[in-house]
PDB file of all heavy atoms in Angstrom:
ATOM      1  N   VAL A1236      72.117  -4.046 -39.691  1.00 46.00           N
ATOM      2  CA  VAL A1236      71.344  -2.812 -39.613  1.00 46.00           C
ATOM      3  C   VAL A1236      72.372  -1.614 -39.577  1.00 46.00           C
ATOM      4  O   VAL A1236      72.159  -0.511 -40.235  1.00 46.00           O
ATOM      5  CB  VAL A1236      70.426  -2.794 -38.500  1.00 46.00           C
ATOM      6  CG1 VAL A1236      69.776  -1.435 -38.320  1.00 46.00           C
ATOM      7  CG2 VAL A1236      69.373  -3.794 -38.728  1.00 46.00           C
ATOM      8  N   VAL A1237      73.371  -1.786 -38.799  1.00 44.00           N
ATOM      9  CA  VAL A1237      74.331  -0.721 -38.592  1.00 44.00           C
ATOM     10  C   VAL A1237      75.094  -0.354 -39.962  1.00 44.00           C
ATOM     11  O   VAL A1237      75.372   0.795 -40.242  1.00 44.00           O
ATOM     12  CB  VAL A1237      75.388  -1.077 -37.468  1.00 44.00           C
ATOM     13  CG1 VAL A1237      76.484   0.008 -37.355  1.00 44.00           C
ATOM     14  CG2 VAL A1237      74.645  -1.179 -36.249  1.00 44.00           C
ATOM     15  N   VAL A1239      74.128  -0.747 -43.029  1.00 49.00           N
ATOM     16  CA  VAL A1239      73.445  -0.160 -44.107  1.00 49.00           C
ATOM     17  C   VAL A1239      72.403   0.987 -43.667  1.00 49.00           C
ATOM     18  O   VAL A1239      71.919   1.579 -44.664  1.00 49.00           O
ATOM     19  CB  VAL A1239      72.443  -1.248 -44.771  1.00 49.00           C
ATOM     20  CG1 VAL A1239      73.360  -2.449 -45.342  1.00 49.00           C
ATOM     21  CG2 VAL A1239      71.389  -1.907 -43.818  1.00 49.00           C
ATOM     22  N   LYS A1240      72.415   1.150 -42.468  1.00 53.00           N
ATOM     23  CA  LYS A1240      71.448   2.244 -41.941  1.00 53.00           C
ATOM     24  C   LYS A1240      71.847   3.615 -42.445  1.00 53.00           C
ATOM     25  O   LYS A1240      72.899   4.078 -42.211  1.00 53.00           O
ATOM     26  CB  LYS A1240      71.419   2.265 -40.364  1.00 53.00           C
ATOM     27  CG  LYS A1240      70.374   3.284 -39.967  1.00 53.00           C
ATOM     28  CD  LYS A1240      70.143   3.100 -38.400  1.00 53.00           C
ATOM     29  CE  LYS A1240      71.453   3.319 -37.662  1.00 53.00           C
ATOM     30  NZ  LYS A1240      71.160   3.386 -36.220  1.00 53.00           N
ATOM     31  N   LYS A1241      71.052   4.147 -43.303  1.00 67.00           N
ATOM     32  CA  LYS A1241      71.231   5.567 -43.829  1.00 67.00           C
ATOM     33  C   LYS A1241      70.434   6.535 -43.057  1.00 67.00           C
ATOM     34  O   LYS A1241      70.877   7.681 -42.839  1.00 67.00           O
ATOM     35  CB  LYS A1241      70.906   5.612 -45.286  1.00 67.00           C
ATOM     36  CG  LYS A1241      71.885   4.819 -46.082  1.00 67.00           C
ATOM     37  CD  LYS A1241      71.589   5.037 -47.597  1.00 67.00           C
ATOM     38  CE  LYS A1241      72.603   4.209 -48.425  1.00 67.00           C
ATOM     39  NZ  LYS A1241      72.302   4.398 -49.875  1.00 67.00           N
ATOM     40  N   ASN A1242      69.164   6.152 -42.769  1.00 80.00           N
ATOM     41  CA  ASN A1242      68.345   7.105 -41.939  1.00 80.00           C
ATOM     42  C   ASN A1242      67.343   6.266 -41.142  1.00 80.00           C
ATOM     43  O   ASN A1242      67.327   4.918 -41.243  1.00 80.00           O
ATOM     44  CB  ASN A1242      67.656   7.941 -42.901  1.00 80.00           C
ATOM     45  CG  ASN A1242      66.710   7.321 -43.857  1.00 80.00           C
ATOM     46  OD1 ASN A1242      66.040   6.444 -43.635  1.00 80.00           O
ATOM     47  ND2 ASN A1242      66.834   7.911 -45.207  1.00 80.00           N
ATOM     48  N   LYS A1243      66.536   6.833 -40.374  1.00 86.00           N
ATOM     49  CA  LYS A1243      65.631   6.176 -39.455  1.00 86.00           C
ATOM     50  C   LYS A1243      64.663   5.302 -40.247  1.00 86.00           C
ATOM     51  O   LYS A1243      64.299   4.171 -39.955  1.00 86.00           O
ATOM     52  CB  LYS A1243      64.806   7.197 -38.736  1.00 86.00           C
ATOM     53  CG  LYS A1243      63.935   6.628 -37.651  1.00 86.00           C
ATOM     54  CD  LYS A1243      63.197   7.699 -36.843  1.00 86.00           C
ATOM     55  CE  LYS A1243      62.154   7.022 -35.927  1.00 86.00           C
ATOM     56  NZ  LYS A1243      61.376   8.042 -35.283  1.00 86.00           N
ATOM     57  N   ARG A1244      64.096   5.875 -41.434  1.00 87.00           N
ATOM     58  CA  ARG A1244      63.111   5.084 -42.276  1.00 87.00           C
ATOM     59  C   ARG A1244      63.760   3.681 -42.745  1.00 87.00           C
ATOM     60  O   ARG A1244      63.109   2.774 -42.678  1.00 87.00           O
ATOM     61  CB  ARG A1244      62.584   5.877 -43.417  1.00 87.00           C
ATOM     62  CG  ARG A1244      61.716   7.121 -43.019  1.00 87.00           C
ATOM     63  CD  ARG A1244      61.096   7.691 -44.103  1.00 87.00           C
ATOM     64  NE  ARG A1244      62.223   8.428 -45.007  1.00 87.00           N
ATOM     65  CZ  ARG A1244      62.492   9.697 -44.945  1.00 87.00           C
ATOM     66  NH1 ARG A1244      61.858  10.465 -44.104  1.00 87.00           N
ATOM     67  NH2 ARG A1244      63.428  10.237 -45.719  1.00 87.00           N
ATOM     68  N   GLN A1245      65.016   3.918 -43.315  1.00 87.00           N
ATOM     69  CA  GLN A1245      65.571   2.643 -43.722  1.00 87.00           C
ATOM     70  C   GLN A1245      65.856   1.687 -42.756  1.00 87.00           C
ATOM     71  O   GLN A1245      65.779   0.514 -42.947  1.00 87.00           O
ATOM     72  CB  GLN A1245      66.828   3.076 -44.505  1.00 87.00           C
ATOM     73  CG  GLN A1245      66.579   3.780 -45.791  1.00 87.00           C
ATOM     74  CD  GLN A1245      67.811   4.001 -46.650  1.00 87.00           C
ATOM     75  OE1 GLN A1245      68.881   3.742 -46.276  1.00 87.00           O
ATOM     76  NE2 GLN A1245      67.516   4.606 -47.885  1.00 87.00           N
ATOM     77  N   SER A1246      66.288   2.133 -41.473  1.00 86.00           N
ATOM     78  CA  SER A1246      66.447   1.138 -40.407  1.00 86.00           C
ATOM     79  C   SER A1246      65.211   0.512 -39.998  1.00 86.00           C
ATOM     80  O   SER A1246      65.204  -0.749 -39.636  1.00 86.00           O
ATOM     81  CB  SER A1246      67.128   1.924 -39.205  1.00 86.00           C
ATOM     82  OG  SER A1246      66.283   2.856 -38.602  1.00 86.00           O
ATOM     83  N   VAL A1247      64.013   1.201 -40.034  1.00 87.00           N
ATOM     84  CA  VAL A1247      62.793   0.559 -39.819  1.00 87.00           C
ATOM     85  C   VAL A1247      62.416  -0.431 -40.837  1.00 87.00           C
ATOM     86  O   VAL A1247      62.048  -1.539 -40.500  1.00 87.00           O
ATOM     87  CB  VAL A1247      61.585   1.686 -39.647  1.00 87.00           C
ATOM     88  CG1 VAL A1247      60.208   1.007 -39.579  1.00 87.00           C
ATOM     89  CG2 VAL A1247      61.848   2.505 -38.527  1.00 87.00           C
ATOM     90  N   ILE A1248      62.672  -0.228 -42.057  1.00 87.00           N
ATOM     91  CA  ILE A1248      62.330  -1.030 -43.114  1.00 87.00           C
ATOM     92  C   ILE A1248      63.271  -2.325 -42.956  1.00 87.00           C
ATOM     93  O   ILE A1248      62.679  -3.428 -43.074  1.00 87.00           O
ATOM     94  CB  ILE A1248      62.636  -0.393 -44.629  1.00 87.00           C
ATOM     95  CG1 ILE A1248      61.627   0.710 -44.786  1.00 87.00           C
ATOM     96  CG2 ILE A1248      62.662  -1.465 -45.660  1.00 87.00           C
ATOM     97  CD1 ILE A1248      62.090   1.630 -45.922  1.00 87.00           C
ATOM     98  N   ILE A1249      64.557  -2.236 -42.650  1.00 87.00           N
ATOM     99  CA  ILE A1249      65.356  -3.346 -42.529  1.00 87.00           C
ATOM    100  C   ILE A1249      64.947  -4.278 -41.306  1.00 87.00           C
ATOM    101  O   ILE A1249      64.971  -5.440 -41.272  1.00 87.00           O
ATOM    102  CB  ILE A1249      66.836  -2.943 -42.282  1.00 87.00           C
ATOM    103  CG1 ILE A1249      67.274  -2.397 -43.710  1.00 87.00           C
ATOM    104  CG2 ILE A1249      67.774  -4.024 -41.920  1.00 87.00           C
ATOM    105  CD1 ILE A1249      68.596  -1.630 -43.674  1.00 87.00           C
ATOM    106  N   SER A1250      64.569  -3.547 -40.194  1.00 87.00           N
ATOM    107  CA  SER A1250      64.055  -4.261 -39.024  1.00 87.00           C
ATOM    108  C   SER A1250      62.781  -5.014 -39.288  1.00 87.00           C
ATOM    109  O   SER A1250      62.587  -6.174 -38.822  1.00 87.00           O
ATOM    110  CB  SER A1250      64.033  -3.361 -37.757  1.00 87.00           C
ATOM    111  OG  SER A1250      62.964  -2.515 -37.978  1.00 87.00           O
ATOM    112  N   LEU A1251      61.947  -4.463 -40.142  1.00 87.00           N
ATOM    113  CA  LEU A1251      60.747  -5.154 -40.459  1.00 87.00           C
ATOM    114  C   LEU A1251      60.984  -6.505 -41.320  1.00 87.00           C
ATOM    115  O   LEU A1251      60.455  -7.535 -41.104  1.00 87.00           O
ATOM    116  CB  LEU A1251      59.772  -4.284 -41.319  1.00 87.00           C
ATOM    117  CG  LEU A1251      58.987  -3.230 -40.647  1.00 87.00           C
ATOM    118  CD1 LEU A1251      58.212  -2.335 -41.607  1.00 87.00           C
ATOM    119  CD2 LEU A1251      57.962  -3.881 -39.738  1.00 87.00           C
ATOM    120  N   LEU A1252      62.056  -6.361 -42.186  1.00 85.00           N
ATOM    121  CA  LEU A1252      62.469  -7.513 -43.041  1.00 85.00           C
ATOM    122  C   LEU A1252      63.138  -8.531 -42.246  1.00 85.00           C
ATOM    123  O   LEU A1252      63.014  -9.700 -42.582  1.00 85.00           O
ATOM    124  CB  LEU A1252      63.426  -7.084 -44.044  1.00 85.00           C
ATOM    125  CG  LEU A1252      62.648  -6.328 -45.313  1.00 85.00           C
ATOM    126  CD1 LEU A1252      63.560  -5.610 -46.128  1.00 85.00           C
ATOM    127  CD2 LEU A1252      61.882  -7.383 -46.090  1.00 85.00           C
ATOM    128  N   LYS A1253      63.719  -8.208 -41.064  1.00 86.00           N
ATOM    129  CA  LYS A1253      64.339  -9.128 -40.274  1.00 86.00           C
ATOM    130  C   LYS A1253      63.199  -9.939 -39.441  1.00 86.00           C
ATOM    131  O   LYS A1253      63.358 -11.106 -39.159  1.00 86.00           O
ATOM    132  CB  LYS A1253      65.265  -8.549 -39.125  1.00 86.00           C
ATOM    133  CG  LYS A1253      66.551  -8.126 -39.886  1.00 86.00           C
ATOM    134  CD  LYS A1253      67.477  -7.711 -38.839  1.00 86.00           C
ATOM    135  CE  LYS A1253      68.887  -7.476 -39.465  1.00 86.00           C
ATOM    136  NZ  LYS A1253      69.909  -7.439 -38.608  1.00 86.00           N
ATOM    137  N   LYS A1254      62.006  -9.295 -39.192  1.00 88.00           N
ATOM    138  CA  LYS A1254      60.936 -10.060 -38.540  1.00 88.00           C
ATOM    139  C   LYS A1254      60.074 -10.885 -39.431  1.00 88.00           C
ATOM    140  O   LYS A1254      59.730 -11.858 -39.198  1.00 88.00           O
ATOM    141  CB  LYS A1254      60.042  -8.989 -37.898  1.00 88.00           C
ATOM    142  CG  LYS A1254      60.619  -8.203 -36.740  1.00 88.00           C
ATOM    143  CD  LYS A1254      59.743  -7.138 -36.236  1.00 88.00           C
ATOM    144  CE  LYS A1254      60.430  -6.378 -35.086  1.00 88.00           C
ATOM    145  NZ  LYS A1254      59.674  -5.241 -34.706  1.00 88.00           N
ATOM    146  N   LYS A1255      59.937 -10.383 -40.726  1.00 86.00           N
ATOM    147  CA  LYS A1255      59.133 -11.044 -41.795  1.00 86.00           C
ATOM    148  C   LYS A1255      60.115 -11.529 -42.836  1.00 86.00           C
ATOM    149  O   LYS A1255      61.148 -10.828 -43.144  1.00 86.00           O
ATOM    150  CB  LYS A1255      58.059 -10.182 -42.348  1.00 86.00           C
ATOM    151  CG  LYS A1255      57.019  -9.706 -41.389  1.00 86.00           C
ATOM    152  CD  LYS A1255      56.058  -8.970 -42.131  1.00 86.00           C
ATOM    153  CE  LYS A1255      54.824  -8.666 -41.328  1.00 86.00           C
ATOM    154  NZ  LYS A1255      53.838  -7.987 -42.076  1.00 86.00           N
ATOM    155  N   VAL A1258      58.138  -8.143 -47.272  1.00 87.00           N
ATOM    156  CA  VAL A1258      57.166  -7.121 -46.930  1.00 87.00           C
ATOM    157  C   VAL A1258      56.648  -6.366 -48.209  1.00 87.00           C
ATOM    158  O   VAL A1258      57.293  -6.478 -49.247  1.00 87.00           O
ATOM    159  CB  VAL A1258      57.689  -6.032 -46.008  1.00 87.00           C
ATOM    160  CG1 VAL A1258      58.044  -6.681 -44.625  1.00 87.00           C
ATOM    161  CG2 VAL A1258      58.848  -5.408 -46.490  1.00 87.00           C
ATOM    162  N   MET A1259      55.551  -5.840 -48.089  1.00 86.00           N
ATOM    163  CA  MET A1259      55.017  -4.875 -49.140  1.00 86.00           C
ATOM    164  C   MET A1259      54.918  -3.527 -48.553  1.00 86.00           C
ATOM    165  O   MET A1259      55.020  -3.301 -47.380  1.00 86.00           O
ATOM    166  CB  MET A1259      53.607  -5.487 -49.510  1.00 86.00           C
ATOM    167  CG  MET A1259      53.504  -6.950 -50.054  1.00 86.00           C
ATOM    168  SD  MET A1259      51.913  -7.440 -50.469  1.00 86.00           S
ATOM    169  CE  MET A1259      51.542  -6.504 -51.939  1.00 86.00           C
ATOM    170  N   ILE A1260      54.749  -2.599 -49.452  1.00 88.00           N
ATOM    171  CA  ILE A1260      54.693  -1.129 -49.145  1.00 88.00           C
ATOM    172  C   ILE A1260      53.652  -0.910 -48.037  1.00 88.00           C
ATOM    173  O   ILE A1260      53.859  -0.140 -47.064  1.00 88.00           O
ATOM    174  CB  ILE A1260      54.489  -0.317 -50.319  1.00 88.00           C
ATOM    175  CG1 ILE A1260      55.783  -0.296 -51.182  1.00 88.00           C
ATOM    176  CG2 ILE A1260      54.205   1.141 -49.870  1.00 88.00           C
ATOM    177  CD1 ILE A1260      55.704   0.535 -52.423  1.00 88.00           C
ATOM    178  N   ASP A1262      52.738  -2.821 -45.668  1.00 87.00           N
ATOM    179  CA  ASP A1262      53.253  -3.241 -44.342  1.00 87.00           C
ATOM    180  C   ASP A1262      54.105  -2.115 -43.784  1.00 87.00           C
ATOM    181  O   ASP A1262      54.070  -1.887 -42.611  1.00 87.00           O
ATOM    182  CB  ASP A1262      54.058  -4.492 -44.460  1.00 87.00           C
ATOM    183  CG  ASP A1262      53.170  -5.659 -44.951  1.00 87.00           C
ATOM    184  OD1 ASP A1262      51.982  -5.704 -44.608  1.00 87.00           O
ATOM    185  OD2 ASP A1262      53.760  -6.426 -45.786  1.00 87.00           O
ATOM    186  N   ILE A1263      54.889  -1.462 -44.611  1.00 89.00           N
ATOM    187  CA  ILE A1263      55.944  -0.441 -44.219  1.00 89.00           C
ATOM    188  C   ILE A1263      55.097   0.846 -43.823  1.00 89.00           C
ATOM    189  O   ILE A1263      55.444   1.442 -42.854  1.00 89.00           O
ATOM    190  CB  ILE A1263      56.932  -0.271 -45.275  1.00 89.00           C
ATOM    191  CG1 ILE A1263      57.713  -1.558 -45.475  1.00 89.00           C
ATOM    192  CG2 ILE A1263      57.830   0.868 -44.846  1.00 89.00           C
ATOM    193  CD1 ILE A1263      58.577  -1.476 -46.749  1.00 89.00           C
ATOM    194  N   THR A1264      54.036   1.229 -44.601  1.00 89.00           N
ATOM    195  CA  THR A1264      53.402   2.371 -44.273  1.00 89.00           C
ATOM    196  C   THR A1264      52.588   2.327 -42.936  1.00 89.00           C
ATOM    197  O   THR A1264      52.368   3.299 -42.368  1.00 89.00           O
ATOM    198  CB  THR A1264      52.270   2.784 -45.415  1.00 89.00           C
ATOM    199  OG1 THR A1264      51.516   1.718 -45.737  1.00 89.00           O
ATOM    200  CG2 THR A1264      53.011   3.141 -46.712  1.00 89.00           C
ATOM    201  N   GLU A1265      52.272   1.178 -42.541  1.00 89.00           N
ATOM    202  CA  GLU A1265      51.717   0.986 -41.232  1.00 89.00           C
ATOM    203  C   GLU A1265      52.722   1.219 -40.075  1.00 89.00           C
ATOM    204  O   GLU A1265      52.327   1.671 -39.008  1.00 89.00           O
ATOM    205  CB  GLU A1265      51.110  -0.391 -41.031  1.00 89.00           C
ATOM    206  CG  GLU A1265      49.908  -0.643 -41.940  1.00 89.00           C
ATOM    207  CD  GLU A1265      49.381  -2.070 -41.947  1.00 89.00           C
ATOM    208  OE1 GLU A1265      50.078  -2.903 -41.285  1.00 89.00           O
ATOM    209  OE2 GLU A1265      48.499  -2.437 -42.729  1.00 89.00           O
ATOM    210  N   ALA A1266      53.947   0.913 -40.232  1.00 88.00           N
ATOM    211  CA  ALA A1266      55.076   1.142 -39.343  1.00 88.00           C
ATOM    212  C   ALA A1266      55.612   2.515 -39.409  1.00 88.00           C
ATOM    213  O   ALA A1266      56.003   3.033 -38.315  1.00 88.00           O
ATOM    214  CB  ALA A1266      56.056   0.163 -39.560  1.00 88.00           C
ATOM    215  N   ILE A1267      55.750   3.054 -40.606  1.00 88.00           N
ATOM    216  CA  ILE A1267      56.177   4.445 -40.664  1.00 88.00           C
ATOM    217  C   ILE A1267      55.084   5.415 -41.021  1.00 88.00           C
ATOM    218  O   ILE A1267      54.573   5.307 -42.215  1.00 88.00           O
ATOM    219  CB  ILE A1267      57.337   4.497 -41.792  1.00 88.00           C
ATOM    220  CG1 ILE A1267      58.449   3.471 -41.540  1.00 88.00           C
ATOM    221  CG2 ILE A1267      57.824   5.858 -41.885  1.00 88.00           C
ATOM    222  CD1 ILE A1267      59.504   3.482 -42.691  1.00 88.00           C
ATOM    223  N   THR A1268      54.742   6.185 -40.067  1.00 87.00           N
ATOM    224  CA  THR A1268      53.539   7.102 -40.370  1.00 87.00           C
ATOM    225  C   THR A1268      53.879   8.547 -40.554  1.00 87.00           C
ATOM    226  O   THR A1268      53.006   9.317 -40.818  1.00 87.00           O
ATOM    227  CB  THR A1268      52.551   6.955 -39.166  1.00 87.00           C
ATOM    228  OG1 THR A1268      53.203   7.263 -37.979  1.00 87.00           O
ATOM    229  CG2 THR A1268      52.006   5.495 -39.058  1.00 87.00           C
ATOM    230  N   ASP A1269      55.060   8.904 -40.446  1.00 88.00           N
ATOM    231  CA  ASP A1269      55.453  10.343 -40.512  1.00 88.00           C
ATOM    232  C   ASP A1269      55.907  10.743 -41.902  1.00 88.00           C
ATOM    233  O   ASP A1269      56.430  11.864 -42.024  1.00 88.00           O
ATOM    234  CB  ASP A1269      56.545  10.643 -39.389  1.00 88.00           C
ATOM    235  CG  ASP A1269      57.834   9.928 -39.651  1.00 88.00           C
ATOM    236  OD1 ASP A1269      57.741   8.901 -40.421  1.00 88.00           O
ATOM    237  OD2 ASP A1269      58.871  10.288 -39.131  1.00 88.00           O
ATOM    238  N   CYS A1270      55.634   9.942 -42.925  1.00 88.00           N
ATOM    239  CA  CYS A1270      56.053  10.333 -44.243  1.00 88.00           C
ATOM    240  C   CYS A1270      55.039   9.724 -45.286  1.00 88.00           C
ATOM    241  O   CYS A1270      54.240   8.800 -44.915  1.00 88.00           O
ATOM    242  CB  CYS A1270      57.423  10.009 -44.552  1.00 88.00           C
ATOM    243  SG  CYS A1270      57.758   8.242 -44.571  1.00 88.00           S
ATOM    244  N   ILE A1275      58.433   6.476 -49.020  1.00 89.00           N
ATOM    245  CA  ILE A1275      58.824   4.949 -48.621  1.00 89.00           C
ATOM    246  C   ILE A1275      59.114   4.350 -49.894  1.00 89.00           C
ATOM    247  O   ILE A1275      60.107   3.537 -49.861  1.00 89.00           O
ATOM    248  CB  ILE A1275      57.646   4.329 -47.925  1.00 89.00           C
ATOM    249  CG1 ILE A1275      57.368   4.951 -46.544  1.00 89.00           C
ATOM    250  CG2 ILE A1275      57.828   2.878 -47.730  1.00 89.00           C
ATOM    251  CD1 ILE A1275      56.183   4.564 -45.860  1.00 89.00           C
ATOM    252  N   GLU A1278      62.660   5.290 -50.662  1.00 89.00           N
ATOM    253  CA  GLU A1278      63.668   4.672 -49.758  1.00 89.00           C
ATOM    254  C   GLU A1278      63.849   3.217 -50.212  1.00 89.00           C
ATOM    255  O   GLU A1278      64.935   2.634 -50.201  1.00 89.00           O
ATOM    256  CB  GLU A1278      63.101   4.691 -48.300  1.00 89.00           C
ATOM    257  CG  GLU A1278      62.961   5.959 -47.683  1.00 89.00           C
ATOM    258  CD  GLU A1278      64.282   6.623 -47.402  1.00 89.00           C
ATOM    259  OE1 GLU A1278      65.414   5.981 -47.598  1.00 89.00           O
ATOM    260  OE2 GLU A1278      64.301   7.793 -46.863  1.00 89.00           O
ATOM    261  N   LEU A1279      62.735   2.439 -50.562  1.00 89.00           N
ATOM    262  CA  LEU A1279      63.006   1.116 -51.054  1.00 89.00           C
ATOM    263  C   LEU A1279      63.668   0.945 -52.350  1.00 89.00           C
ATOM    264  O   LEU A1279      64.566   0.157 -52.473  1.00 89.00           O
ATOM    265  CB  LEU A1279      61.556   0.498 -51.262  1.00 89.00           C
ATOM    266  CG  LEU A1279      60.748   0.104 -49.906  1.00 89.00           C
ATOM    267  CD1 LEU A1279      59.263  -0.064 -50.313  1.00 89.00           C
ATOM    268  CD2 LEU A1279      61.396  -0.966 -49.194  1.00 89.00           C
ATOM    269  N   LEU A1282      67.383   1.366 -51.529  1.00 88.00           N
ATOM    270  CA  LEU A1282      67.831   0.047 -50.874  1.00 88.00           C
ATOM    271  C   LEU A1282      68.042  -1.006 -51.982  1.00 88.00           C
ATOM    272  O   LEU A1282      68.954  -1.791 -51.920  1.00 88.00           O
ATOM    273  CB  LEU A1282      66.922  -0.391 -49.683  1.00 88.00           C
ATOM    274  CG  LEU A1282      66.942   0.511 -48.432  1.00 88.00           C
ATOM    275  CD1 LEU A1282      65.843   0.107 -47.533  1.00 88.00           C
ATOM    276  CD2 LEU A1282      68.251   0.387 -47.820  1.00 88.00           C
ATOM    277  N   LEU A1288      68.284  -4.760 -50.716  1.00 85.00           N
ATOM    278  CA  LEU A1288      67.012  -5.450 -50.890  1.00 85.00           C
ATOM    279  C   LEU A1288      66.835  -5.996 -52.221  1.00 85.00           C
ATOM    280  O   LEU A1288      67.539  -5.637 -53.078  1.00 85.00           O
ATOM    281  CB  LEU A1288      65.818  -4.491 -50.586  1.00 85.00           C
ATOM    282  CG  LEU A1288      65.577  -3.810 -49.230  1.00 85.00           C
ATOM    283  CD1 LEU A1288      64.379  -2.939 -49.262  1.00 85.00           C
ATOM    284  CD2 LEU A1288      65.624  -4.834 -48.155  1.00 85.00           C
TER     285      LEU A1288
END
Side-chain angles (χ1 to χ4, degrees):
V1236 174
V1237 175
V1239 298
K1240 182 170 62 172
K1241 294 184 179 179
N1242 60 43
K1243 184 180 175 185
R1244 289 186 298 263
Q1245 290 185 356
S1246 64
V1247 170
I1248 292 168
I1249 292 167
S1250 66
L1251 282 173
L1252 282 166
K1253 286 189 173 197
K1254 292 177 187 175
K1255 294 183 171 186
V1258 295
M1259 297 178 74
I1260 291 176
D1262 302 322
I1263 299 168
T1264 55
E1265 292 172 0
I1267 304 174
T1268 58
D1269 62 341
C1270 66
I1275 293 171
E1278 294 289 359
L1279 288 166
L1282 290 169
L1288 297 182

